[in-house]
Amino acid sequence: MAVFDFEYYTELVLFVLMAALEVFAFVDAVLRPAAGFTAAGKLSKPAWLLILALAMVTCVAFQSPMSILGLLGIVAAGVYLADVRPAVAAITRR
């Protein structure tokens, strides 16, 4: 029984972290100016909002961080936070 409890709580923690990461990325994308995305040479703001919204929807719908859609959502949020966000922030600071 303890093994199943450990697995349940581990997956619950991963789900909460995944959801928080995706919500943070989406809110950050909403707050960034649209001109910064194209000036940085990245996908447009509506494209990133769509990608991150789909990541959040699949996160809530499937509630499994270890599914293929859950992993794709984490990758999408990670790419936004690691690549797009710094590039847009550098453009808008000037």
Side-chain angles (χ1 to χ4, degrees):
M1 206 51 111
V3 173
F4 295 117
D5 289 341
F6 176 75
E7 181 182 353
Y8 170 76
Y9 288 115
T10 303
E11 230 179 275
L12 180 65
V13 168
L14 288 174
F15 169 71
V16 169
L17 291 174
M18 177 178 74
L21 179 77
E22 292 172 359
V23 167
F24 175 75
F26 182 79
V27 169
D28 185 74
V30 167
L31 297 176
R32 301 280 173 189
F37 286 83
T38 55
K42 305 299 178 185
L43 286 176
S44 66
K45 181 176 180 172
W48 274 108
L49 290 176
L50 178 66
I51 291 168
L52 295 171
L54 287 174
M56 286 190 317
V57 166
T58 57
C59 173
V60 171
F62 295 106
Q63 295 183 355
S64 176
M66 300 313 288
S67 70
I68 189 69
L69 293 176
L71 292 175
L72 287 175
I74 292 171
V75 168
V79 167
Y80 173 80
L81 292 173
D83 182 42
V84 178
R85 182 177 187 245
V88 174
I91 294 293
T92 57
R93 272 190 231 129
R94 293 180 188 167

